[in-house]
């Protein structure tokens, strides 16, 4: 894939530290230019260390909590206190240990009827919309990569981009025993972001990562290939195990 920045870290710990550095750097830039920082969080296990790190040491002081607004790229259709809730995970690891104002947390309401949850979230995005858009140009989007090539809840075989005004979709897909009903942002919303940061860790991701970055263009089978911001920058922050099948070497850390 073109215009993709690849950074390879030794192991998950240094990957998470680099992700935290990236987040506070982009946050500083966003606040100095626009007075606020709009960030989209990912679900899944990979960002768990990052969320914990943000509540400790230098990062806790460097996140501009009062002007940071937290969103999600996808959510499983479960209540917020369900162990499978992406919001619930961030709440437990991050928000309960940090001074994030409640009014700055914009979760997807997985406990609602899925269509209603998608509409409710699209409405929330409109309140932050950039001129000419129905959603904000996010400053930073965090994404994961599934071993099947999915990202957020854009799964292999999912339909092509919906209409230009559609910010959210209801999806049904099975993966790793996780809840099958989900809400996701559309590629269009991700691709309007200023920075997209994929976090990819572990040998079980090696094949999907190599196919996404170095395989033929096949966004139906490899949905992460749908993410290529038109005016933004995409970075794959990966550990050595995930990078094992890549031909390119990227920037080593
Ligand atoms: C989710 C996600 C999903 C995730 C990948 C990778 O709700 O499950 O947002 O897209 O990022 O499945 O998950 P892991 O980090 O657990 O491998």
């Amino acid at each position: 894939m073109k215009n993709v920045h690849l950074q390879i870290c030794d192991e998950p710990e240094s990957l998470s530290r680099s992700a935290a550095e990236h987040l506070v750097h982009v946050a500083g830039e966003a606040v100095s230019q626009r007075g606020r920082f709009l960030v989209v969080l990912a679900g899944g296990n990979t960002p768990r260390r990052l969320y914990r790190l943000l509540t400790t040491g230098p990062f806790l002081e460097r996140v501009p909590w009062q002007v940071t607004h937290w969103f999600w790229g996808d959510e499983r259709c479960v209540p917020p206190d369900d162990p499978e809730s992406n919001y619930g995970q961030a709440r437990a690891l991050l928000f309960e240990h940090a001074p994030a104002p409640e009014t700055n947390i914009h979760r997807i309401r997985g406990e609602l009827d899925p269509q209603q949850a998608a509409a409710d979230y699209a409405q929330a995005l409109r309140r932050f919309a950039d001129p000419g858009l129905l959603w904000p140009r996010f400053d930073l989007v965090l994404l994961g990569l599934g071993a099947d090539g999915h990202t957020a809840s854009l799964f292999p075989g999912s339909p092509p981009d919906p209409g230009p005004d559609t910010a959210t979709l209801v999806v049904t897909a099975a993966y790793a025993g996780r809840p099958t009903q989900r809400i996701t942002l559309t590629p269009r919303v991700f691709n309007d972001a200023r920075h997209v940061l994929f976090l990819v860790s572990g040998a079980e991701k090696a094949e999907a990562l190599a196919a996404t970055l170095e395989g033929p263009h096949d966004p139906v089978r490899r949905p992460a290939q749908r993410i290529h911001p038109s005016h933004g920058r995409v970075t794959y922050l990966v550990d050595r195990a995930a990078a094992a099948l890549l031909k390119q070497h990227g920037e080593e850390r």
Side-chain angles (χ1 to χ4, degrees):
M1 268 164 72
K2 285 185 189 153
N3 302 324
V4 168
H5 184 72
L6 172 69
Q7 188 182 321
I8 303 175
C9 300
D10 275 337
E11 25 71 43
E13 190 56 47
S14 46
L15 181 151
S16 305
R17 193 155 282 276
S18 289
E21 286 290 349
H22 194 100
L23 185 143
V24 295
H25 175 78
V26 173
E29 217 174 61
V31 173
S32 70
Q33 289 169 14
R34 291 173 294 282
R36 65 183 189 180
F37 174 47
L38 307 184
V39 57
V40 173
L41 299 181
N45 296 323
T46 313
R48 291 174 63 85
R49 273 194 180 84
L50 163 66
Y51 298 161
R52 279 198 208 95
L53 267 181
L54 293 176
T55 69
T56 61
F59 300 115
L60 184 63
E61 280 84 59
R62 288 172 64 198
V63 174
W65 296 100
Q66 292 306 315
V67 290
T68 297
H69 288 265
W70 307 88
F71 296 83
W72 278 261
D74 71 332
E75 183 57 281
R76 296 103 178 248
C77 294
V78 293
D81 55 357
D82 188 292
E84 293 287 351
S85 164
N86 287 341
Y87 158 78
Q89 166 166 283
R91 152 129 258 124
L93 299 176
L94 179 56
F95 304 129
E96 280 178 7
H97 313 280
E102 263 319 304
T103 47
N104 290 10
I105 300 173
H106 310 280
R107 72 179 180 91
I108 304 174
R109 296 171 68 197
E111 71 277 26
L112 299 179
D113 161 78
Q115 293 297 343
Q116 200 188 329
D120 174 88
Y121 192 46
Q123 190 58 39
L125 298 180
R126 282 180 198 219
R127 292 197 288 275
F128 287 82
D130 270 55
L133 294 176
L134 296 173
W135 48 78
R137 275 196 77 193
F138 286 108
D139 296 302
L140 177 64
V141 171
L142 300 177
L143 288 172
L145 180 72
D148 60 356
H150 81 264
T151 190
S153 288
L154 302 168
F155 284 86
S158 54
D161 283 6
D165 292 347
T166 307
T168 57
L169 288 177
V170 177
V171 168
T172 306
Y175 180 74
R178 294 173 180 176
T180 52
Q181 285 280 96
R182 293 153 168 259
I183 312 295
T184 188
L185 292 179
T186 55
R188 224 177 279 276
V189 178
F190 291 127
N191 287 333
D192 277 332
R194 293 186 164 85
H195 295 266
V196 173
L197 183 64
F198 278 88
L199 305 181
V200 189
S201 165
E204 69 281 9
K205 306 289 177 66
E207 212 177 304
L209 183 66
T212 301
L213 295 182
E214 297 178 347
H217 184 67
D218 188 355
V220 174
R221 280 189 60 209
R222 301 291 176 198
Q225 291 183 342
R226 295 169 79 175
I227 311 303
H228 43 81
S230 35
H231 298 97
R233 180 179 169 96
V234 56
T235 302
Y236 276 75
L237 191 49
V238 313
D239 66 10
R240 242 171 240 298
L245 300 177
L246 291 177
K247 293 190 194 84
Q248 57 187 312
H249 297 300
E251 178 195 321
E252 311 250 337
R253 277 253 169 144

